[in-house]
Amino acid sequence: VTRVATEHRLGPLDAIPVGEGRAYAVDGVQVAVFRLRSGALHATQALCPHRQGPLADGQLDERVVLCPLHAAVFELATGESSSGHGTLTVYPVREQDGDVLLSLDGG
Amino acid sequence: VPLVKLTGGQRIDLLGIRKEDLPAVWADLDMPSGYAYGKSFRTVKTCVGSDFCRFGVGDSTALGIALEERYQGIPSPGKMKLAVAGCPRNCSEALCKDLGVVAVDGGRWEVYVGGAAGAHVRKGDLLATLDDPDEVVALAGRFMQYYRESAKWLERTYDFVPRVGIEHLRAVLREDSEGLLDGLDARMQASVDAYVDPWSEGRAPATPGQFRPSLPLTVLPQVPVR
């Protein structure tokens, strides 16, 4: 992971299959990055606040991710839960030249 | 492997293996998946049947194997747990399965649907009594395909069957009141033909990083070793 301004380069976008999430360790922080079918990218904290499920393994659509352990529901864009399981930290994430760039600040 | 368990669905559970070790474990085992993790067709539990039980009136083991070999791994809105019992004493708990088959006197088979014995307990409703094991396999396929197409996501048969009603299911699946049977048979056959053992994905992952750790900085699973 190299630092570009305040952004971290997480490696190739192709490492995340379309419609799935993958987890990364970014400067000691665990982050889940989701690549939606529309092409949009979202990043959230990797652990579900309910019982620490791995959100990168969750099912997702264009709007929400479901935790694989107990189906807690979170909005990908805001981190808010529509199932009453708290709010996820979300991080700005974008693609540049085929790589995923993520910022831990301003999340 | 931290824990080995023999399950009520007649599987062997191997629990607590790390995600990234799964391909190697599957390769060592060289066994088919048991689908313990899926919203899918699970297993067909059987009793020993007429060969070895003095009460048995039907070969439940052979019918159970036939059902399981045909419909293994079929995905569905909720779990589909099946059983075949060789007599009405219910040793394989067929009366409280999503689809249960019970051998009765005269070489006939009763087919029950919508049973459950988990957080919700319900006896299955009698869908039909049939003469021939092949008819049971066909009716089971029709019921499961109708459930796959008509149920809500995560709606188990114990909710689905009472919602649509057993009389409705008898009409649709036995008398073809809506002319659906040919289509149900064809689409179930397509699913059966498309079956691939999911553990073969261990040899060639279906997606990049499929077996990467889900939480790179956390040692998973967090379980005690007995």
Side-chain angles (χ1 to χ4, degrees), chain A residues 14-15 17 20 22-25 28-30 46-47 54 57 59 66, chain B residues 19 153-154 207-218 220 222:
Chain A
D14 290 346
E20 295 189 24
R22 287 289 183 264
Y24 294 85
V29 179
Q30 299 193 114
L47 281 166
D57 284 349
Q59 285 183 293
L66 274 66
Chain B
K19 180 181 176 184
W153 188 54
L154 299 184
T207 54
Q210 188 179 3
F211 299 102
R212 211 158 87 180
S214 318
L215 293 169
L217 301 177
T218 310
L220 289 176
Q222 295 170 323

Side-chain angles (χ1 to χ4, degrees), chain A residues 29-103:
Chain A
V29 179
Q30 299 193 114
V31 176
V33 180
F34 302 94
R35 183 182 183 188
L36 308 190
R37 295 196 177 276
S38 65
L41 288 174
H42 289 288
T44 70
Q45 68 186 65
L47 281 166
C48 179
H50 172 227
R51 292 282 298 275
Q52 286 73 56
L55 291 171
D57 284 349
Q59 285 183 293
L60 55 140
D61 64 8
E62 285 302 309
R63 201 169 55 81
V64 296
V65 58
L66 274 66
C67 176
L69 294 197
H70 306 96
V73 185
F74 299 95
E75 299 277 341
L76 286 164
T78 65
E80 288 171 12
S81 174
S82 54
S83 57
H85 288 99
T87 302
L88 302 177
T89 303
V90 296
Y91 303 99
V93 63
R94 66 189 179 96
E95 181 259 331
Q96 187 185 60
D97 302 330
D99 279 348
V100 177
L101 300 183
L102 179 134
S103 170

Side-chain angles (χ1 to χ4, degrees), chain B residues 8-218:
Chain B
Q10 301 180 171
R11 280 179 301 242
I12 306 164
D13 263 2
L14 303 178
L15 300 160
I17 297 166
R18 290 185 306 163
K19 180 181 176 184
E20 48 272 36
D21 294 337
L22 289 175
V25 171
W26 294 340
D28 281 356
L29 286 174
D30 194 25
M31 290 170 80
S33 168
Y35 308 98
Y37 45 80
K39 305 301 179 200
S40 69
F41 181 92
R42 295 298 193 86
T43 58
V44 185
K45 185 177 184 174
T46 64
C47 64
V48 296
S50 46
D51 284 356
F52 294 99
C53 175
R54 68 189 190 282
F55 295 120
V57 294
D59 191 348
S60 53
T61 306
L63 179 52
I65 291 170
L67 283 166
E68 193 163 303
E69 287 185 339
R70 176 161 173 76
Y71 300 118
Q72 58 184 344
I74 298 285
S76 52
K79 293 178 248 189
M80 299 191 294
K81 298 181 175 181
L82 282 74
V84 185
C87 81
R89 287 173 186 76
N90 203 28
C91 290
S92 58
E93 297 161 342
L95 293 172
C96 48
K97 293 290 182 187
D98 294 290
L99 189 146
V101 185
V102 177
V104 292
D105 278 332
R108 310 191 78 204
W109 300 88
E110 293 178 340
V111 179
Y112 291 86
V113 295
H120 187 101
V121 179
R122 182 177 192 274
K123 183 176 183 246
D125 295 323
L126 182 62
L127 177 61
T129 305
L130 304 171
D131 293 317
D132 183 348
D134 291 341
E135 290 178 61
V136 174
V137 174
L139 180 62
R142 287 170 175 176
F143 170 73
M144 289 191 286
Q145 185 64 24
Y146 189 68
Y147 167 66
R148 295 173 74 201
E149 295 179 12
S150 313
K152 300 170 191 166
W153 188 54
L154 299 184
E155 181 184 35
R156 289 286 300 271
T157 62
Y158 59 73
D159 286 325
F160 171 72
V161 170
R163 176 165 68 83
V164 300
I166 189 67
E167 291 78 14
H168 172 77
L169 288 172
R170 285 193 195 121
V172 170
L173 301 175
R174 297 285 291 148
E175 286 134 45
D176 203 10
S177 61
E178 296 181 9
L180 295 175
L181 290 187
D182 288 346
L184 291 176
D185 287 347
R187 291 189 292 277
M188 179 52 100
Q189 186 61 45
S191 295
V192 169
D193 292 342
Y195 170 76
V196 182
D197 187 276
W199 285 7
S200 64
E201 288 177 7
R203 291 190 283 277
T207 54
Q210 188 179 3
F211 299 102
R212 211 158 87 180
S214 318
L215 293 169
L217 301 177
T218 310

